Structure formats: structure tokens, C-alpha cells
Amino acid sequence: MSAILAVHDLTKAFGGLMAVSDVSFEVQEGEIFGLIGPNGAGKTTLFNMLTGLTRPTAGTVRFLGQDISRKAPAAIARLGMARTFQNIRLFGGMSVLDNVRVPRHALDKVSLWGGVFGTARSRRLERETLASARELVALVGLGDRMDAPAASLPYGARRRLEIARALALAPKILLLDEPAAGMNQAEKEDLSSFIRDIRDRFGLTVLLIEHNVPMVMGLCRSVAVLNFGQLIAQGAPEAIQADPAVIEAYLGVAADA
Ligand SMILES: Nc1ncnc2c1ncn2[C@@H]1O[C@H](COP(=O)(O)OP(=O)(O)O)[C@@H](O)[C@H]1O
Ligand SMILES: [Mg+2]
């Protein structure tokens, strides 16, 4: 395995608040890497910097050997990084299928001109996009809801649809921001095996933010722990779980952790 993502001294200050402070870690190709920490620890801010939505105050992010720390979100997505959001972002009024057809188009350089002039190439791409969107929707278990408006789906299904939408970008790395939030234990277990399945099927690397410690422990090969913007521990799940600094950071939230 080699590092697909290397984060070095990454820092984000919002005024005087150090949301992320000198954070460094590496994610190996093919692994499921867990990023945990209490609310407000800086996890989402870190994701926002990785995906280009937030410009780092300092530090670098290398993805597939390229420095992406100052690139725009679309450029980073094109390199093969896709994400989901802590607060689900779907087009609620659009159909399930159309939600998954959208992102590919966003990256497709020929879509504008090809779409206008109806070239053979654009028509072929259109067919391929539709076929792969249908496949992805079926893969996340929504094959019988293709034409339903996204907003009409139950919560867990919307979470899965958001993952399908990210997968439509054909990413190399998938960033999931608290995908299990609001799920019960059975749903969390389903989601865990689903994440493992898509990792294997698409040869993905997965970076997973999760508040729920047991879920991360069962799923991840390595784990990094953020607290007040700082990386307080990283390593194998067993070592993390026994780390006094981690236990202390989680004391206040032990009941739901
Ligand atoms: N755009 C922003 N402006 C100012 N402060 C922010 C902004 N985004 C996040 N923060 C602050 O940064 C800290 C980390 O937040 P966040 O990254 O959302 O944490 P987490 O995802 O671990 O819960 C919090 O104190 C939060 O209030
Ligand atoms: Mg967050």
C-alpha cells in the first residue's frame, strides 16, 4: 500500500479560533480510514479543506502525489475525490435517478457544447451516464424508487442516495461526513457492510468521519482522533481505544459513544 492522501501540518483559523491546528496524517490506498472526535473538533472543517471548499490557513494536502491544497473543488473532484455532507445535500425535488445523473455532468467537459449541438459523442456519453446512474441507484438499494422525488425518501435511503451521487463521480477516494448520524444500531451495521462492499467493488479508499466510536472500531484499519482542532492520537483502532487522551476527550460524550 502507498499513501493516496497525505495531509501535512494542515491548519484553519477562523479569526482567533483554531478549528484545525497542524494536523498531519496519511491515508493508504484501499483502506477505510476513520476520523473521530467530539462535536466541534474540526472534522468537517478538515474535510472542507481536503475538498477545496475551505482554503487552509497553512499546511498542504497531497492527493495522488499532487498538491491540491489550493485547488478549486471541481478540480479536486476531477482528480478523483468525492464526498458526502454531514447535512444531506440532495436536490429534493428531482428524482432519485436524476440526483445521481447530475454530478458526472458537472465534471464532463463536453457536456456544454455536446449538449448544445447534440454530437454523437455527447449522445453516447448521455446513454452511458444514464446506464451507470441506474446501476448505482440499484446498488444502494433504491432500484424501485428511481423516479421518486429524493425528498420523499426516508432518512436512511437519502443517506444512501447521497453516497450513490458521490460514487457517480467515479472517485478514487470517498469522504463520508457522519454518514451514520441519526441511524439506529441495525442501520449502522448495514451501513458498515455497505461501505466495505463499495470499497471492494470500486477499489476505493474511504475516509470516514464518525461520531460513533464502536462503528469506526469495527470498520477502520487506522483511526485519527481530533479534539479542539488538534490530532491527539492516531493508529490502529485497538490502540486508539485504550489511549488515555482519547478516553478523556470522549468522557463527556461516553453515553452515545
Ligand atoms: N465557517 C466557519 N466560521 C467560523 N467558525 C467555524 C466555521 N466552520 C466551523 N467553525 C468552527 O470550527 C470548529 C470546528 O467545527 P467543525 O469542523 O464543524 O467540527 P466537527 O465537524 O468536528 O463537529 C467549531 O468550533 C466551529 O464552530
Ligand atoms: Mg462535522
Side-chain angles (χ1 to χ4, degrees):
M1 288 206 286
S2 60
I4 184 170
L5 184 73
V7 174
H8 185 68
D9 284 349
L10 203 59
T11 298
K12 181 67 193 183
F14 291 113
L17 174 80
M18 299 299 279
V20 174
S21 189
D22 288 322
V23 167
S24 302
F25 61 88
E26 285 188 353
V27 178
Q28 306 301 315
E29 193 167 354
E31 78 172 320
I32 302 175
F33 185 102
L35 183 63
I36 66 172
N39 277 330
K43 304 179 299 293
T44 296
T45 302
L46 183 62
F47 264 26
N48 289 345
M49 287 193 281
L50 299 180
T51 51
L53 294 179
T54 296
R55 182 155 292 218
T57 306
T60 56
V61 180
R62 294 184 75 79
F63 175 47
L64 293 165
Q66 275 195 58
D67 185 348
I68 59 162
S69 15
R70 267 97 197 142
K71 283 190 191 295
I76 295 171
R78 224 177 277 126
L79 285 174
M81 187 182 291
R83 73 175 291 178
T84 63
F85 291 88
Q86 188 169 353
N87 307 305
I88 300 176
R89 294 190 187 181
L90 291 166
F91 297 106
M94 275 168 51
S95 73
V96 164
L97 185 62
D98 283 344
N99 267 280
V100 179
R101 286 168 71 179
V102 167
R104 260 264 170 82
H105 282 188
L107 295 185
D108 189 353
K109 281 183 188 140
V110 304
S111 68
L112 180 60
W113 292 109
V116 171
F117 295 113
T119 61
R121 174 149 191 259
S122 79
R123 283 194 302 272
R124 181 173 51 80
L125 281 172
E126 186 72 25
R127 275 197 309 276
E128 286 172 5
T129 303
L130 183 60
S132 69
R134 283 183 190 285
E135 216 170 288
L136 284 171
V137 170
L139 179 77
V140 299
L142 296 171
D144 56 345
R145 305 296 301 274
M146 297 261 186
D147 300 318
S152 73
L153 297 177
Y155 177 77
R158 274 186 283 138
R159 281 267 171 222
R160 292 202 306 277
L161 178 58
E162 221 203 359
I163 295 176
R165 193 162 178 270
L167 289 173
L169 294 171
K172 298 185 178 73
I173 191 166
L174 178 63
L175 277 56
L176 302 172
D177 193 347
E178 297 202 31
M183 289 187 174
N184 64 35
Q185 192 51 37
E187 289 170 325
K188 279 179 183 160
E189 280 162 23
D190 282 353
L191 182 69
S192 291
S193 49
F194 174 70
I195 291 170
R196 245 185 246 110
D197 284 351
I198 56 173
R199 188 268 310 263
D200 295 341
R201 178 187 288 244
F202 297 105
L204 290 174
T205 305
V206 178
L207 184 47
L208 171 74
I209 292 181
E210 183 45 58
H211 197 69
N212 180 267
V213 177
M215 179 172 162
V216 170
M217 296 301 158
L219 196 54
C220 300
R221 197 191 65 106
S222 36
V223 178
V225 188
L226 276 182
N227 193 30
F228 294 113
Q230 291 182 326
L231 198 65
I232 57 167
Q234 64 176 312
E238 306 74 45
I240 291 294
Q241 224 165 356
D243 190 310
V246 177
I247 294 166
E248 180 166 357
Y250 266 90
L251 268 184
V253 293
D256 64 79

